[in-house]
Amino acid sequence: MRISLRFVIPLAVTLGAIAYMVVPLVDNLTLKWFVRDLDIRTKLITTAVQDPFVELLTERTRDKVRLQRVQAFFNRILQDERLFALGFCDAAGTLVYKTPTLPAESTCRPPDAPPEETGRVLENQRGSLHVSSNPIVLEGKQLGELLIVHDMSFIERRSADTKKYIFYLFAAIAAVVALLTVVIAELSWRGLLAGVKALISGDRDAQALDGTRMPELRPIARDLQALVRDLEAERRSHDESQIGWGPDALRRILREDLKGDEVLIVSNREPYIHERRDNAVEIRQPASGLVTALEPVMRACSGTWIAHGSGSADREAVDENDRVRVPPEHPAYRIRRVWLTKAEEQGYYYGFSNEGLWPLCHIAHVRPTFRAADWEHYRTVNRRFADVVVDEARTPDPIVLVQDYHLALLPRLVRQRLPRATIITFWHIPWPNPEAFGILPWREAVLEGLLGSSILGFHTQIHCNNFFDTVDRFLEARVNRETFAISYGGESTEVRRYPISIEYPPAALAAQPPVDACRNRIRARIGADPDLRLGLGVDRLDYTKGILERFMAVERLLEIEPRWVGKFSFVQIAAPSRSSIDEYQGFEARVRALAQRINRRFGGGGYQPIILKVEHHDAREVYAYYRAADVCYVSSLHDGMNLVAKEYVAARDDERGVLVLSQFTGAARELSEALIVNPYDIEQSAAALQLALTMPAEEQRARMRSMRSLVQEFNVYRWAGRMLIDAARMRHRHRVLSSARAGRLHVINR
Ligand code: GDG
């Protein structure tokens, strides 16, 4: 519309100016025409009245009678509405007869004046008058002159009418021309826009148009497309804080930034496990931070999740291509299961991953075990996963999201087979310093594998920095800490911090009863008094989670504040994990033993200070515990992030409860309103528990509110979205750079 106005306004001004110049010209011209008409008319009247008037003048009668007759004659002639007055001048130039209307200015002409060609125009108070002197002749002798005065007001009326019509005419012309201009301008503008959009958007139809009508613009179009996408991606990344982060935002990024590109997730752990139990198949979601985080992301993105099929009924559930659609209630994406032999699972998963890399990366003072046979299995299984990725990829450039330390070799293996893929690897656990990592016999191979990624993500900047230091120490690579990039073997990997989170609000919170109902239900379930104060720990049964230290802190609390004996219990939900590993079996035994010892020391009469639940819980049950607990203690000795801390905060929509959080978790960098402790410092931890149990409601509310808004704002959709935006930005940049290499951007580069 604005474009149309740009045409119409100058057009209207021009036509107005033309009308302004034309109207006086037309006015003048029409006046001349009318005067000439009046001259002719006057002559006609004179000719018509000549004979009867001469007869009147020459009739032998008294002057008085003649006067009356001339008066009557004149009155008859004046019946004509345009005639205004009549008069007669004799041959001596004296006015002898006149109608009363004859103006004083219409005087007789001198007797010897030459005949008048045209009449005169007189202006008096009545307006314009046309006066003409017409000779009255008898047998060649002039008897005098008849003065015929015409009223010219009708001419003015007509002139005004003419002006009006001219104005209307020009207005009509302006309107028609404007309308035509608008229509043509709109059509051509739309056409142009469609053309430019077509050039820029680059969709198939548009390219057809591009190809047939504007082939000469094609190279510019490609560069424009790339640049516009790049700018859009830049803008989006700058606007990250403005996005309402949820499943829709992720879908929008996939649709708009990534143009619906294919997304594959690869992890060891699958999000749904089919288990055979008592002749029936059960579906279970494993206790895993990785699954907790990625499952809602995958529900939003669709795509394929490639994972080890570890359940006893997993083979029964898949189709002939080893795929199964999930979630079972509302399928939104599919799992492609990878099968491993028992020996492979033992060597790759339990051996190299969990007895080697896991303790290597966590400072929990458990020695890593490295066996060459495990390493061989690890390599074999990584290759198997790579085969499946290549098999599942429908396009040459999918986005492959590689998860965790089980698949460190996968990025390079995929890069070799799908060089155009965007590979985003996320390392869910800490990255150690070079000295610690340096004990790994195959350290170079692991680093090279990871550097096949386009983007490598960690939870915290410390882990990124440790990775830079490690690569710097062990590989011939260029480490650029300013751009957070590592160049190795001619390829570049961006190393970024992406703090993981949970979906907000969590799905498991949806059908929860009010907090009071949860409090009562959980206390009834553990056979406790409704007034019992409750502490809570939720973990996989893993030595890195600091469960022993946690129990020691509870014991110390009961020592220093005996008033809590009988009044405070600590529930520990401990999901069995990696239980075939000796270290884990030993750890479980130590946990059980410590709980028993403390219970023996302070328990009795149905009261247990430590309530240990070594079993898998349904996610909804876990949330019921969160809502029932007065304090949640996360005491990890070392933890990449720790999602339990965020889940506890998200579960407390009543803004009550206190989080006691280990300083060695990634979460402690975000949730600074928690009571941050060093879990090795038992005195300090016990004091924090005491502080938590006595914290005024107002302070609980203030701390909780602040942490809840952070978890809400920085949820798992934002975590995934930031990586996908970075992937989109990287893909656009590659496109622009490959155009530049092909020489198409030479103009812009100059
Ligand atoms: C790794 C990193 C990082 C626990 N017991 C049960 C159960 N859980 C759920 C919790 C939570 C998840 O498991 C544990 O997540 P964490 O983050 O605490 O720990 P890891 O499994 O070690 O995860 C960690 C994470 O990856 C993500 O990057 O934060 O640092 O070590 O969601 O609720 N869930 C169910 N039953 C249980 O008995 N359903």
Side-chain angles (χ1 to χ4, degrees):
M1 196 61 206
R2 233 178 292 140
I3 301 298
S4 308
L5 284 178
R6 275 188 218 149
F7 287 112
V8 171
I9 291 170
L11 178 80
V13 171
T14 311
L15 283 174
I18 294 173
Y20 183 76
M21 288 186 295
V22 162
V23 167
L25 279 177
V26 172
D27 217 16
N28 241 339
L29 204 63
T30 47
L31 184 68
K32 273 188 192 153
W33 286 341
F34 280 119
V35 169
R36 210 167 56 222
D37 282 357
L38 286 178
D39 287 341
I40 295 167
R41 201 166 190 273
T42 308
K43 296 235 157 32
L44 279 173
I45 293 171
T46 310
T47 311
V49 302
Q50 169 86 15
D51 289 351
F53 189 48
V54 166
E55 217 172 280
L56 263 179
L57 289 177
T58 53
E59 188 179 44
R60 286 179 188 281
T61 181
R62 280 181 293 140
D63 286 347
K64 200 173 164 194
V65 173
R66 180 176 294 113
L67 180 64
Q68 282 170 352
R69 287 191 182 156
V70 170
Q71 288 291 334
F73 184 69
F74 277 4
N75 284 343
R76 266 205 317 280
I77 300 171
L78 279 185
Q79 296 294 312
D80 183 319
E81 65 166 335
R82 287 186 200 164
L83 274 181
F84 181 67
L86 290 169
F88 181 69
C89 303
D90 62 13
T94 309
L95 184 65
V96 284
Y97 305 113
K98 66 171 183 116
T99 59
T101 50
L102 187 76
E105 299 90 339
S106 9
T107 50
C108 295
R109 299 183 330 128
D112 48 356
E116 243 182 14
E117 285 300 318
T118 61
R120 291 157 282 149
V121 176
L122 273 185
E123 297 291 337
N124 74 355
Q125 70 272 25
R126 279 206 80 261
S128 307
L129 297 171
H130 177 264
V131 182
S132 68
S133 305
N134 305 280
I136 299 294
V137 181
L138 176 63
E139 293 165 357
K141 183 176 166 228
Q142 185 167 323
L143 298 179
E145 284 183 336
L146 183 64
L147 296 177
I148 300 178
V149 181
H150 270 98
D151 180 0
M152 285 179 73
S153 63
F154 81 96
I155 296 175
E156 279 161 7
R157 275 199 309 276
R158 284 198 182 167
S159 171
D161 282 350
T162 311
K163 278 185 209 159
K164 205 159 64 189
Y165 292 138
I166 289 174
F167 174 77
Y168 287 152
L169 178 72
F170 271 89
I173 292 172
V176 171
V177 176
L179 193 71
L180 282 175
T181 311
V182 169
V183 171
I184 293 167
E186 278 295 314
L187 287 179
S188 35
W189 182 245
R190 273 185 207 174
L192 187 69
L193 272 187
V196 172
K197 273 188 196 158
L199 289 177
I200 291 170
S201 70
D203 64 64
R204 275 193 195 104
D205 293 347
Q207 273 173 355
L209 177 140
D210 167 21
T212 51
R213 291 197 209 157
M214 296 179 273
E216 68 284 1
L217 291 183
R218 238 180 288 157
I220 298 173
R222 276 193 217 106
D223 298 340
L224 263 178
Q225 284 167 10
L227 281 174
V228 167
R229 286 209 207 99
D230 218 22
L231 285 173
E232 272 179 1
E234 283 286 312
R235 177 179 56 73
R236 278 212 184 81
S237 61
H238 291 150
D239 287 355
E240 185 203 308
S241 60
Q242 306 302 319
I243 299 174
W245 285 105
D248 286 342
L250 273 192
R251 283 187 211 108
R252 207 170 38 247
I253 291 169
L254 285 167
R255 198 176 55 238
E256 294 173 10
D257 296 52
L258 291 163
K259 300 258 167 265
D261 289 340
E262 194 182 2
V263 177
L264 301 170
I265 290 188
V266 200
S267 70
N268 169 72
R269 178 67 69 228
E270 54 183 345
Y272 292 91
I273 303 176
H274 290 78
E275 296 278 14
R276 179 157 288 285
R277 209 162 275 160
D278 307 328
N279 271 342
V281 174
E282 271 180 15
I283 303 173
R284 194 167 59 81
Q285 273 201 281
S288 150
L290 182 152
V291 170
T292 306
L294 280 164
E295 214 276 329
V297 171
M298 204 51 179
R299 265 188 272 131
C301 300
S302 301
T304 304
W305 187 323
I306 299 165
H308 170 213
S310 58
S312 54
D314 271 359
R315 283 182 193 266
E316 296 169 47
V318 295
D319 64 14
E320 66 280 8
N321 297 312
D322 299 327
R323 295 175 186 143
V324 56
R325 288 188 61 73
V326 288
E329 358 31 288
H330 303 292
Y333 64 96
R334 60 190 186 180
I335 300 176
R336 164 75 191 267
R337 284 179 170 147
V338 179
W339 310 117
L340 305 181
T341 64
K342 279 285 159 223
E344 283 168 347
E345 188 179 357
Q346 181 57 45
Y348 137 85
Y349 178 73
Y350 292 107
F352 189 73
S353 298
N354 286 318
E355 289 188 276
L357 288 178
W358 178 267
L360 178 75
C361 292
H362 288 91
I363 309 169
H365 310 285
V366 170
R367 280 174 69 122
T369 306
F370 300 116
R371 303 180 195 94
D374 291 346
W375 170 243
E376 274 317 308
H377 281 306
Y378 187 84
R379 291 176 61 205
T380 307
V381 172
N382 270 253
R383 279 197 293 267
R384 173 101 32 90
F385 271 93
D387 290 342
V388 177
V389 170
V390 173
D391 184 44
E392 283 295 325
R394 283 175 284 109
T395 54
D397 60 347
I399 295 159
V400 187
L401 303 172
V402 179
Q403 304 301 316
D404 232 355
Y405 60 99
H406 315 91
L407 299 168
L409 306 181
L410 187 69
R412 178 142 317 268
L413 295 169
V414 173
R415 167 74 58 236
Q416 284 161 356
R417 315 240 323 251
L418 296 172
R420 288 173 53 206
T422 303
I423 304 168
I424 307 176
T425 304
F426 193 79
W427 194 262
H428 289 257
I429 61 175
W431 189 272
N433 63 37
E435 286 73 29
F437 187 79
I439 67 168
L440 173 65
W442 305 281
R443 60 194 182 197
E444 286 85 5
V446 167
L447 292 174
E448 280 172 2
L450 287 171
L451 290 177
S453 315
S454 320
I455 298 174
L456 175 59
F458 296 97
H459 293 300
T460 69
Q461 195 56 47
I462 294 176
H463 302 154
C464 296
N465 295 345
N466 281 348
F467 186 77
F468 285 133
D469 293 343
T470 309
V471 171
D472 227 1
R473 178 82 60 90
F474 299 115
L475 290 185
E476 286 295 319
R478 194 148 45 87
V479 176
N480 189 335
R481 288 165 203 261
E482 247 173 64
T483 57
F484 305 109
I486 297 175
S487 294
Y488 181 70
E491 277 171 18
S492 174
T493 302
E494 287 186 4
V495 179
R496 294 275 148 111
R497 183 181 77 97
Y498 300 100
I500 207 167
S501 192
I502 56 169
E503 70 175 320
Y504 194 99
L509 195 61
Q512 291 288 340
V515 165
D516 277 347
C518 289
R519 285 182 73 87
N520 294 336
R521 215 174 64 191
I522 293 298
R523 281 163 180 75
R525 188 177 305 163
I526 58 175
D529 194 84
D531 295 334
L532 182 84
R533 308 297 300 277
L534 210 63
L536 177 69
V538 177
D539 308 84
R540 287 182 303 96
L541 195 40
D542 193 294
Y543 54 82
T544 60
K545 301 295 179 182
I547 298 172
L548 293 172
E549 290 72 9
R550 196 176 304 172
F551 290 177
M552 286 186 237
V554 172
E555 183 181 30
R556 184 69 187 133
L557 171 75
L558 299 179
E559 279 170 10
I560 57 172
E561 294 285 342
R563 63 182 169 124
W564 291 118
V565 177
K567 303 246 165 33
F568 170 73
S569 286
F570 194 93
V571 174
Q572 176 64 50
I573 291 178
S577 178
R578 307 168 192 172
S579 22
S580 67
I581 298 176
D582 287 350
E583 185 67 42
Y584 282 76
Q585 288 168 7
F587 179 67
E588 182 181 334
R590 288 200 296 280
V591 168
R592 285 185 188 275
L594 181 59
Q596 274 171 14
R597 188 178 63 72
I598 296 170
N599 283 342
R600 268 200 307 274
R601 184 173 169 199
F602 292 100
Y607 166 69
Q608 281 192 319
I610 306 273
I611 300 168
L612 177 61
K613 292 177 162 293
V614 182
E615 62 194 272
H616 184 86
H617 286 69
D618 181 75
R620 293 198 36 234
E621 275 177 273
V622 173
Y623 269 78
Y625 274 101
Y626 285 143
R627 287 163 75 74
D630 298 293
V631 50
C632 178
Y633 183 18
V634 172
S635 54
S636 308
L637 305 180
H638 203 190
D639 215 335
M641 174 55 69
N642 191 285
L643 296 181
V644 170
K646 293 188 175 182
E647 286 169 356
Y648 180 61
V649 165
R652 299 314 297 255
D653 48 15
D654 61 335
E655 297 178 341
R656 296 291 297 273
V658 181
L659 175 65
V660 180
L661 180 59
S662 158
Q663 68 187 77
F664 306 120
T665 61
R669 281 171 182 72
E670 296 178 76
L671 303 175
S672 45
E673 293 82 359
L675 300 181
I676 307 289
V677 296
N678 171 357
Y680 290 97
D681 185 340
I682 305 300
E683 295 296 327
Q684 187 198 45
S685 304
L689 288 175
Q690 165 68 6
L691 196 65
L693 289 170
T694 53
M695 187 181 283
E698 252 335 289
E699 188 178 343
Q700 291 181 33
R701 192 163 289 129
R703 288 174 184 263
M704 224 5 132
R705 194 174 288 170
S706 169
M707 290 190 286
R708 282 172 63 77
S709 78
L710 184 126
V711 176
Q712 176 175 24
E713 203 183 325
F714 292 87
N715 59 30
V716 75
Y717 297 107
R718 190 165 183 170
W719 171 76
R722 283 186 55 220
M723 284 192 280
L724 291 177
I725 287 174
D726 285 349
R729 181 179 43 76
M730 188 173 262
R731 286 160 87 90
H732 298 151
R733 202 170 52 221
H734 281 311
R735 269 195 279 260
V736 173
L737 289 179
S738 45
S739 301
R741 268 185 225 118
R744 283 199 230 105
L745 277 183
H746 60 285
V747 178
I748 293 168
N749 283 344
R750 227 184 284 150

